């Protein structure tokens, strides 16, 4: 009987391994930049073409490699980082597995130019699908220059399922930011399609955060620092007012390595309990310095999942450190005791009576009845002219009959609304009561109906915006004074993809270079909203649905616009305004839930009310 088990060729084994290590172009950037850092580079340049599909180039000024090292670096499990199993528990480098270059070379065409300091010539090596060319001498600066072309050229299924260029570029930027944030002492540049996206000079951690995410984040950063025998924690957390519902900047680093840790994330967010609205989160940039023997990074090839030996104790330390920072640096309004020369403002007393202003009218006054009384001003005399008096017709009051003022019309939240079928609401009370500026209460046949006014308005506006967006009939309103919004590279990249949808919604943005955009026009009906926050929130919604159908992206943007334009919780409404909300809500496709699934209506049954009085 023939043997059926056999060893796979190295090229096939490398492609299998590449499935875990190299998942997308961002994985290539991450691995090559980490290798450059381990090589002692002081400056790292990353150049991307077509979101990494065409080429990815990483240039560093590190140690470089000899001809033998350059050839051996592309073999599986070939590394200079560790020598024995015990070294896994004392890691001080980014990489250690020795799989990255072999995996990249298995699914791409790679060219390497490298030279060690002190050598006169360097080495040029080409690899295509794990097939090597003969190394050749070349002239190049000290360090290494990796050029990765045609990623996944021999794995068409993997290349086919890559996301759009915008999505893959955002993933590259995210991977680049994670490394640049934790190494502020190094210089980095990132260029996409010949346009420089980042140019980061060496500095401290705070300066690096500002350079990446913009100056507006600087005023929201609170320093965190604690040093114990178990670990040292440093970095920054955001002020409570910097909390966001979508995509806050949240980063954990341990010993210079980015990590994801939901357990520690909970420790940070719990420190803001009752300080930020429900569903919102604050940004943080926190670095852990721990004994390498107390953590295990050898869990997954991406090395973003890390196990801690003393997780619970570190959780307590982190939570206490964040609470201390937020408590120490919270803004407290100063009491002004200097009242000399200032006007005395009386204290409001709701029980004290007040005189109602009154206007005195003379009902007998008639401007057409001109008296013949002469008026003198010094020596001059004034008498009415007879022809002017004769021009006043008799019984002139009849000319104005039928022009009596009608009842005043109260302004509504929605403008002109379509007429509703009154028969559908015959069991609804025409009078409504607003409870604590949040709920609309009205009597219905089955009991007492409570409506969340903000959520109801979100549902109403969402359906209206979505319908107009699909019909390309959104009304735009020019701003008298254009406002500026500063976007991060990721937000600017997303903007390019959804620019058409934003224009259909009624926005007009002008690129002012450097990530700054001028808001020239906004959709009609969103007056009083923070337009810069609205734009960034909508871009976050679009980025969250990256790669989805255009209809899903439009729905996310319409929801974001509706949330920002809806009446806020706590706004006092008149009965006519509450009536408009109720009528408009019951004309929607879904009366009971918001577009993101939150409940709008609750009914307290008559039987339940009766039981309260038993």
């Amino acid at each position: 009987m023939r043997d059926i088990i056999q060893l796979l060729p190295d090229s096939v084994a490398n492609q299998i391994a590449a499935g875990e290590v190299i998942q997308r172009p961002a994985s290539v950037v991450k691995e090559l930049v980490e290798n450059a850092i381990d090589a002692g580079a002081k400056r790292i340049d990353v150049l991307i073409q077509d979101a990494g599909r065409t080429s990815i180039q990483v240039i560093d000024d590190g140690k470089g490699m000899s001809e033998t090292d350059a050839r051996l670096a592309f073999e599986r499990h070939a590394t200079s980082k560790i020598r024995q199993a015990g070294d896994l528990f004392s890691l001080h480098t980014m990489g250690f597995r020795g799989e990255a270059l072999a995996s990249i070379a298995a699914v791409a065409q790679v060219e390497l130019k490298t030279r060690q300091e002190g050598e006169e010539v360097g080495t040029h090596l080409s690899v295509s699908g794990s097939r090597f060319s003969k190394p050749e001498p070349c002239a190049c600066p000290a360090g290494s220059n990796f050029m990765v072309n045609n990623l996944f050229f021999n794995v068409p299924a993997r290349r086919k399922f890559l996301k759009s260029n915008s999505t893959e570029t955002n993933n590259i930027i995210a991977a680049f930011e994670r490394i640049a944030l934790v190494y502020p002492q190094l210089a980095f540049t990132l260029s996409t399609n010949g346009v420089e996206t980042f140019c980061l000079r060496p500095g401290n951690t705070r300066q690096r955060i500002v350079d990446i995410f913009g100056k507006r984040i600087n005023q929201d950063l609170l320093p965190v620092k604690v040093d114990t025998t178990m670990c040292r924690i440093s970095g920054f957390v955001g002020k409570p007012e910097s909390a966001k519902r979508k995509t806050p900047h949240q980063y954990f680093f341990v010993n210079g390595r980015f990590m994801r840790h939901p357990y520690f994330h909970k420790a940070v967010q719990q420190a803001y309990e009752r300080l930020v609205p429900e569903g919102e989160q604050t940004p943080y940039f926190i670095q852990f310095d721990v004994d390498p023997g107390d953590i295990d990074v050898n869990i997954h090839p991406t090395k973003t999942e890390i196990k801690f030996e003393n997780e619970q104790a570190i959780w307590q330390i982190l939570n206490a450190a964040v609470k201390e920072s937020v408590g120490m640096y919270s803004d407290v309004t100063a009491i002004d005791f200097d009242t000399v020369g200032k006007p005395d403002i009386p204290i409001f007393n709701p029980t004290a009576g007040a005189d109602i202003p009154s206007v005195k009218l003379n009902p007998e006054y008639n401007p057409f009845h001109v008296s013949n009384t002469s008026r003198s001003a010094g020596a001059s005399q004034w008498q009415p002219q007879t022809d002017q008096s004769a021009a006043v017709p008799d019984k002139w009051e009849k000319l104005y009959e039928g022009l009596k003022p009608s009842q005043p019309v109260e302004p509504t939240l929605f403008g002109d609304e379509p007429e509703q079928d009154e028969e559908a609401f015959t069991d609804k009370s025409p009078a409504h009561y607003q409870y604590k500026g949040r709920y609309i209460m009205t009597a219905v046949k089955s009991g007492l109906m409570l409506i969340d006014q903000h959520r109801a308005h979100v549902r109403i506006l969402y359906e209206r915006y979505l319908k107009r967006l699909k019909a390309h009939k959104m009304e735009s309103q020019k701003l008298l004074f254009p406002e500026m919004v500063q976007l991060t590279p990721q937000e600017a990249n997303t903007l390019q993809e959804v620019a058409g949808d934003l224009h259909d919604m009624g926005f007009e943005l002008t690129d002012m270079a450097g990530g700054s955009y001028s808001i020239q026009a906004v959709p009609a009906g969103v007056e009083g909203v923070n337009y810069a926050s609205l734009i960034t929130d909508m871009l976050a919604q679009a980025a969250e649905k990256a790669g989805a159908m255009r209809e899903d992206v439009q729905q996310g943007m319409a929801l974001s616009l509706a949330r920002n334009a809806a009446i806020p919780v706590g706004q006092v409404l008149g009965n006519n305004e509450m009536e408009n909300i109720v009528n408009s809500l019951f004309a929607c496709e879904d009366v009971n839930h918001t577009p993101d699934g939150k409940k709008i209506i609750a009914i307290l049954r008559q039987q339940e009310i009766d039981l309260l009085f038993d």
Side-chain angles (χ1 to χ4, degrees):
M1 187 173 180
R2 289 185 57 190
D3 298 332
I4 59 175
I5 297 178
Q6 59 182 353
L7 289 173
L8 291 174
D10 288 344
S11 59
V12 178
N14 287 341
Q15 285 192 20
I16 295 173
E20 288 187 338
V21 181
I22 308 302
Q23 301 171 353
R24 53 178 14 114
S27 304
V28 177
V29 174
K30 171 184 175 294
E31 298 293 347
L32 294 181
V33 173
E34 287 182 350
N35 283 344
I37 292 173
D38 289 339
K42 299 299 182 184
R43 178 184 176 87
I44 301 173
D45 301 315
V46 182
L47 296 90
I48 307 297
Q49 288 290 333
D50 297 331
R53 300 169 192 266
T54 302
S55 71
I56 300 171
Q57 187 175 12
V58 177
I59 306 170
D60 68 74
D61 59 353
K63 297 177 182 178
M65 291 178 281
S66 65
E67 180 178 332
T68 303
D69 288 343
R71 173 62 181 84
L72 194 59
F74 288 94
E75 297 294 336
R76 289 187 67 197
H77 308 306
T79 179
S80 62
K81 317 297 173 58
I82 61 175
R83 290 288 183 267
Q84 54 189 0
D87 294 339
L88 291 172
F89 303 102
S90 58
L91 290 170
H92 296 279
T93 57
M94 298 285 284
F96 57 88
R97 287 173 171 267
E99 293 181 327
L101 290 181
S103 299
I104 294 171
V107 294
Q109 299 168 343
V110 184
E111 289 188 16
L112 168 62
K113 293 181 180 180
T114 181
R115 180 173 71 86
Q116 291 180 316
E117 189 71 34
E119 297 291 332
E120 294 184 358
V121 295
T123 302
H124 176 233
L125 182 65
S126 298
V127 189
S128 179
S130 296
R131 296 182 180 181
F132 292 84
S133 66
K134 184 178 180 180
E136 298 177 353
C138 70
C140 61
S144 299
N145 183 342
F146 284 90
M147 174 74 80
V148 180
N149 298 316
N150 301 322
L151 185 63
F152 301 130
F153 78 100
N154 56 351
V155 191
R158 179 65 65 85
R159 187 176 179 91
K160 177 182 177 181
F161 286 103
L162 288 177
K163 304 295 184 181
S164 65
N165 279 3
S166 175
T167 302
E168 295 298 344
T169 300
N170 281 344
N171 289 326
I172 291 173
I173 292 174
F176 178 87
E177 289 173 349
R178 292 169 184 169
I179 300 175
L181 280 170
V182 77
Y183 289 97
Q185 71 275 16
L186 305 182
F188 292 89
T189 64
L190 172 65
S191 299
T192 57
N193 298 327
V195 178
E196 188 175 77
T197 305
F198 286 108
C199 182
L200 307 176
R201 63 188 186 278
N204 56 35
T205 301
R206 189 178 194 123
Q207 184 62 48
R208 178 56 54 88
I209 294 172
V210 172
D211 288 344
I212 291 178
F213 299 113
K215 295 180 179 179
R216 65 185 178 187
I217 199 174
N218 188 37
Q219 60 186 0
D220 295 328
L221 297 179
L222 301 176
V224 175
K225 192 171 185 180
V226 61
D227 195 352
T228 67
T229 56
M230 191 174 298
C231 68
R232 184 167 63 252
I233 300 175
S234 60
F236 298 89
V237 295
K239 294 180 180 178
E241 55 265 31
S242 66
K244 296 172 60 178
R245 186 175 296 273
K246 293 290 183 181
T247 61
H249 305 300
Q250 297 175 335
Y251 296 88
F252 281 130
F253 306 100
V254 57
N255 295 353
R257 187 190 307 276
F258 172 78
M259 72 168 179
R260 304 181 189 275
H261 209 293
Y263 187 50
F264 289 165
H265 169 79
K266 186 177 180 181
V268 176
Q269 297 306 318
Q270 195 177 91
Y272 291 90
E273 194 173 10
R274 298 182 181 180
L275 295 177
V276 300
E278 184 180 356
E280 295 188 1
Q281 298 182 5
T282 55
Y284 55 76
F285 308 86
I286 297 179
Q287 164 75 32
F288 297 87
D289 290 313
V290 186
D291 184 355
D294 293 339
I295 60 175
D296 184 8
V297 300
N298 190 26
I299 297 175
H300 190 273
T302 59
K303 300 185 283 291
T304 58
E305 299 176 18
I306 298 176
K307 294 291 185 182
F308 286 73
E309 183 178 350
N310 304 302
E311 272 191 348
Q312 293 185 353
I314 295 177
W315 191 98
Q316 297 289 345
I317 295 171
L318 175 62
N319 181 260
V322 175
K323 282 184 176 179
E324 181 182 5
S325 295
V326 174
M328 183 181 299
Y329 292 94
S330 290
D331 294 332
V332 179
T333 304
I335 301 177
D336 189 2
F337 294 98
D338 185 11
T339 58
V340 178
K342 294 186 178 180
D344 185 16
I345 301 176
I347 300 175
F348 174 68
N349 185 0
T351 61
D355 295 333
I356 300 176
S358 61
V359 179
K360 296 181 179 180
L361 300 175
N362 181 8
E364 303 297 329
Y365 175 73
N366 190 330
F368 293 99
H369 293 170
V370 183
S371 70
N372 295 325
T373 305
S374 61
R375 300 182 180 180
S376 60
S380 63
Q381 299 287 332
W382 178 85
Q383 297 290 342
Q385 299 179 8
T386 55
D387 57 344
Q388 289 182 349
S389 300
V392 179
D394 295 333
K395 300 181 180 180
W396 59 270
E397 293 89 346
K398 293 183 179 181
L399 298 175
Y400 297 94
E401 289 182 356
L403 298 180
K404 296 180 179 180
S406 59
Q407 293 295 329
V409 180
E410 294 186 18
T412 66
L413 291 168
F414 309 103
D416 296 333
E417 293 292 334
E419 295 183 0
Q420 303 291 337
D421 184 4
E422 294 183 0
E423 294 182 1
F425 306 111
T426 54
D427 59 346
K428 175 179 66 64
S429 171
H432 308 281
Y433 174 73
Q434 188 182 31
Y435 178 68
K436 291 189 175 181
R438 181 170 184 178
Y439 302 105
I440 298 173
M441 304 173 63
T442 185
V444 292
K445 188 174 183 179
S446 58
L448 183 64
M449 181 171 63
L450 293 89
I451 301 175
D452 188 306
Q453 67 182 40
H454 173 73
R455 293 180 181 179
H457 202 191
V458 168
R459 163 56 69 179
I460 296 165
L461 294 180
Y462 168 77
E463 293 194 6
R464 183 175 303 167
Y465 290 151
L466 195 58
K467 185 182 298 183
R468 293 178 180 176
L469 180 60
K470 291 179 179 179
H472 304 283
K473 292 183 178 179
M474 287 287 285
E475 297 179 358
S476 182
Q477 180 172 338
K478 291 281 187 179
L479 296 181
L480 183 60
F481 301 102
E483 295 190 12
M484 299 296 296
V485 57
Q486 184 72 30
L487 302 181
T488 65
Q490 281 183 304
E491 291 170 341
N493 190 54
T494 304
L495 175 62
Q496 302 303 319
E497 189 171 356
V498 299
D501 291 328
L502 282 174
H503 184 269
D504 290 342
M505 280 188 163
F507 289 96
E508 289 185 18
L509 300 176
T510 303
D511 189 357
M512 306 299 289
S516 296
Y517 288 81
S518 174
I519 306 174
Q520 304 286 340
V522 296
V526 296
E527 293 79 7
V529 174
N530 187 327
Y531 302 130
S533 297
L534 173 59
I535 292 291
T536 55
D537 191 28
M538 294 178 67
L539 293 177
Q541 283 278 359
E544 189 177 277
K545 295 181 177 291
M549 299 292 291
R550 184 181 179 187
E551 183 176 354
D552 293 337
V553 176
Q554 290 179 342
Q555 290 175 353
M557 297 172 67
L559 175 57
S560 178
L561 183 58
R563 280 175 178 162
N564 282 272
I567 54 176
V569 175
Q571 179 169 325
V572 178
L573 304 177
N575 190 72
N576 287 351
E577 293 174 323
M578 289 188 282
E579 179 74 8
N580 274 325
I581 288 182
V582 175
N583 292 343
S584 300
L585 176 63
F586 279 92
C588 293
E589 296 179 2
D590 188 347
V591 178
N592 296 309
H593 298 92
T594 61
D596 52 351
K598 295 181 179 179
K599 197 171 183 179
I600 299 175
I601 295 178
I603 295 181
L604 189 61
R605 303 283 178 185
Q606 185 63 43
Q607 298 87 340
E608 298 173 0
I609 298 176
D610 293 338
L611 288 174
L612 296 176
F613 295 93
D614 287 345

